[in-house]
Amino acid sequence: MTSGTTESGAAGQARRVELAIGGMTCASCAARIEKKLNRMVGVSATVNYATEKARVAYGDGIAVGDLIATVEATGYTAAPPPPPATTAPPAPGPAGTTGGADAPDPELITLRQRLTTAIVLAVPVIAMAMVPAWQFTNWQWLSLTLASPVVVYAGWPFHRAAWTNLRHGAATMDTLVSVGTLAAFGWSLWALFFGDAGMAGMTHPFELSVSRGGGSSNIYLEAASGVTAFILAGRYFEARAKRRAGAALRALLELGARDVSVLRPDGREVRVPIGELAVGDRFVVRPGEKIGTDGVVRDGGSAVDASMLTGESVPVEVGPGDQVTGGTVNAGGRIVVEAVRVGADTQLARMARLVEDAQNGKAAAQRLADRISAVFVPAVIALALGTLVVWLALGEGGTAAFTAAVSVLIIACPCALGLATPTALLVGTGRGAQLGILIKGPEVLESTRAVDTIVLDKTGTVTTGVMTLTEVHVAAGTEEKDVLRLAGALEHASEHPIARAVAAGAEQRVGELPAVTDFGSVAGLGVHGVVDGHAVLVGREQLLGDWAQSLPAELSAAKSAAEARGGTAVAVGWDGRARAVLVVADAVKPTSAEAVRRLRGLGLRPVLLTGDNAAVAGSVAAAVGIPAADVHAEVLPEDKVAVVRRLQEQGGTVAMVGDGVNDAAALAQADLGLAMGTGTDAAIEAGDLTLVRGDLLVAADAIRLARRTLTTIKSNLFWAFAYNVAALPLAAAGLLDPMIAGAAMAFSSVFVVANSLRLRTFTPLAR
């Protein structure tokens, strides 16, 4: 992934670009850039303050350079998308920079320098203003000496941004901060040089509220320096928290291997950058190395650790024919992998793209906050002027009126509004990626709140989706171990899906299987051969011929019961006797029953949907705890959409979990689609949430995480709005000193970011 990507469609279709935006200092900046871009004909743009990126869709006749020029004309910078990378790209940092989570960030370094200056110099200024006993003769001139670098140097980013915005006829939060601090500093200069404040022996008490009356003997150097220090502190911790919030995505992007050992036709191994790997290349992965890209194992066997990608802590055994994912770690032996997908097509790249797309989106509540922020600053300036006029009209004196107006300017900065949604999305989606849960966008979060019904596709979702040996019934006097050894060895020589299921189940339970001689098969009936000196038959009852006459009653009953449940019963015999019945079926995943229970605990009604017959569907439903009334069996692929639509017409808000091509339309029809990442590309594209691990338990965790993230967004917005609604009247009434107002404003932003960072502690329920 890169900090900027372009996508081109067919003629007449919108093209898309992602630009890294520089110079934004608040939500109002993002709103201004977004407004300017959207005024361009054929352009639709979304600007995210937290990620410092603009996602733009534009039509024919518009070039990326035009978009950049519009952003620059607004007073900000925009970086064009870089050319396609030829090697594995470094992960993006804040504001489009690159580097890992520990890479130095120039923005943070500069902010820290200015903040350190502000704190060191502002603390004695505030202390002298707060404690009259420390106000020695001419203390006010020392305050001026210390406060000047704070206001001019430390506060320079606010003044520069305010001037830039003024030249473009706009006002932002920086305008409020700059005007407020410069007004307090300018008043103090006037009072010191032209008023009575510069006289030797001058003192004045410190009050939390605005003092009535007063005149030219009052100075506000503590307010000017204190507000600058507090707001710089807020900006610094905000920037650092934003960087921490994006750490999950950077870690995800850094999973990819940087180079790979390609196996040449002559057998030589050549180490090449990952960007040079092509589909069809075979490469060697040794123990401890990362798998370079998505592929299929062609030689060797190993255990693959996919914990960073899927959240699954147990390594998965792989061998020839098994698929592996780029970025996972080879924890066992040497394997040779054939590349199937490379570059932007790999699962890792798609995961990163989904996470970035989600973090760049906006929830409905945030869109409302953006509209408010766009008009908030001019309204606050008008309110500050109104406060000044009203106080003067009431005869409270110029100093008091001025102080109250400055408090209004400073307290009103809507930083928290702009950070409420993006920071929660950054943390929530990043944490989801660590757990194998990919959230496509904020609209998905709003859907999870209303969902009350969840439709579960059976095959591959509730069940494993592959034939599995589920039951072994043996006749009296026969050992199960012997049945599995002999039948498993014979079936191992066959390519039939049922045979493969029996062989795999036998090998898993008894270990290595013996060799087979005189192997043969009878079409439609089964196989026969000699194993360990025994003439063995495995297949339909008819294959056993006269032996079937001696099939014990308990085996016959087990066979009938298995077939009634939709399983496939296979008879086993050797040396002239029927010895056992093996049952093969699409097994229910071990976690499915617990997952259904947890989904119910989230207030959801599970519904089973399958194309299998009623007997199979009923058996699976009973195994996982879904009542027969909520089972829809023998549903054709094209009818799955109709089932979802019917549930919606009955008043339900429907989520669906599926993994196949035939689930894609139903996933799109559902109010919330959850696609198994182990499924098809069509299903993943149609889903709103992608579960990287094929475990239904993750669906419950995904809904929990989405709801928790939405709750965090709403609580952030509530406190941001409540803060401004409550603080503005207090400031206008003179109940807040400018310095206290600055501290409160900075705290509101830090509170919102800290509240969002709590999502990093989200943990899945115990398995």
Side-chain angles (χ1 to χ4, degrees), residues 134-395:
W134 293 352
Q135 295 172 4
F136 53 86
T137 303
N138 293 323
W139 66 275
Q140 65 272 42
W141 296 104
L142 176 60
S143 290
L144 176 62
T145 303
L146 297 175
S148 296
V150 177
V151 175
V152 176
Y153 165 72
W156 177 247
F158 307 124
H159 310 318
R160 181 181 55 201
W163 172 247
T164 300
N165 290 319
L166 180 62
R167 287 192 295 113
H168 291 88
T172 65
M173 286 190 320
D174 293 293
T175 307
L176 302 182
V177 176
S178 178
V179 170
T181 54
L182 288 179
F185 186 69
W187 178 277
S188 301
L189 288 177
W190 181 86
L192 284 169
F193 288 99
F194 302 103
D196 301 329
M199 297 177 61
M202 186 278 289
T203 61
H204 70 72
F206 176 79
E207 298 179 357
L208 295 179
S209 60
V210 176
S211 58
R212 266 62 176 172
S216 60
S217 60
N218 288 337
I219 59 174
Y220 295 99
L221 294 172
E222 79 284 359
S225 57
V227 165
T228 301
F230 281 129
I231 296 178
L232 272 176
R235 289 276 172 92
Y236 173 73
F237 289 117
E238 172 190 320
R240 196 172 70 167
K242 280 162 57 180
R243 184 170 175 80
R244 289 174 61 198
L249 177 58
R250 287 194 298 275
L252 185 66
L253 290 165
E254 289 171 346
L255 277 178
R258 299 298 176 187
D259 47 34
V260 63
S261 293
V262 175
L263 200 59
R264 299 302 187 196
D266 60 5
R268 291 184 303 113
E269 290 183 28
V270 180
R271 201 79 182 173
V272 301
I274 194 67
E276 297 180 11
L277 191 65
V279 173
D281 285 349
R282 296 195 176 193
F283 57 93
V284 177
V285 188
R286 291 181 171 78
E289 290 185 337
K290 292 178 181 178
I291 296 174
T293 193
D294 298 355
V296 177
V297 178
R298 294 305 183 198
D299 185 41
S302 181
V304 173
D305 180 2
S307 57
M308 276 297 291
L309 201 62
T310 67
E312 179 59 66
S313 58
V314 180
V316 178
E317 296 290 334
V318 297
D322 289 332
Q323 294 186 347
V324 290
T325 305
T328 55
V329 179
N330 179 12
R334 176 185 183 273
I335 56 176
V336 176
V337 179
E338 180 178 330
V340 174
R341 287 188 293 264
V342 297
D345 296 326
T346 63
Q347 183 175 343
L348 179 62
R350 285 160 56 204
M351 284 177 64
R353 193 157 56 243
L354 283 171
V355 174
E356 279 200 315
D357 287 346
Q359 293 178 348
N360 280 316
K362 293 185 181 182
Q366 182 61 30
R367 287 192 290 271
L368 173 62
D370 286 347
R371 288 196 296 271
I372 292 173
S373 294
V375 299
F376 193 76
V377 173
V380 168
I381 292 175
L383 178 61
L385 291 174
T387 300
L388 178 66
V389 171
V390 169
W391 277 62
L392 289 173
L394 293 176

Side-chain angles (χ1 to χ4, degrees), residues 664-688:
L667 286 167
Q669 172 65 35
D671 299 286
L672 178 68
L674 294 90
M676 290 288 189
T678 51
T680 64
D681 290 348
I684 293 171
E685 282 298 316
D688 300 305

Side-chain angles (χ1 to χ4, degrees), residues 101-112:
D102 298 324
D105 183 354
E107 178 192 6
L108 278 177
I109 293 173
T110 302
L111 267 176
R112 185 164 53 241

Side-chain angles (χ1 to χ4, degrees), residues 448 598 602 698-710 762-765:
T448 61
R598 291 184 183 179
L602 291 170
V698 185
D701 287 331
I703 292 174
R704 287 179 55 240
L705 175 61
R707 287 181 175 178
R708 178 83 61 83
T709 304
L710 180 63
F762 176 88
T763 53
L765 294 174

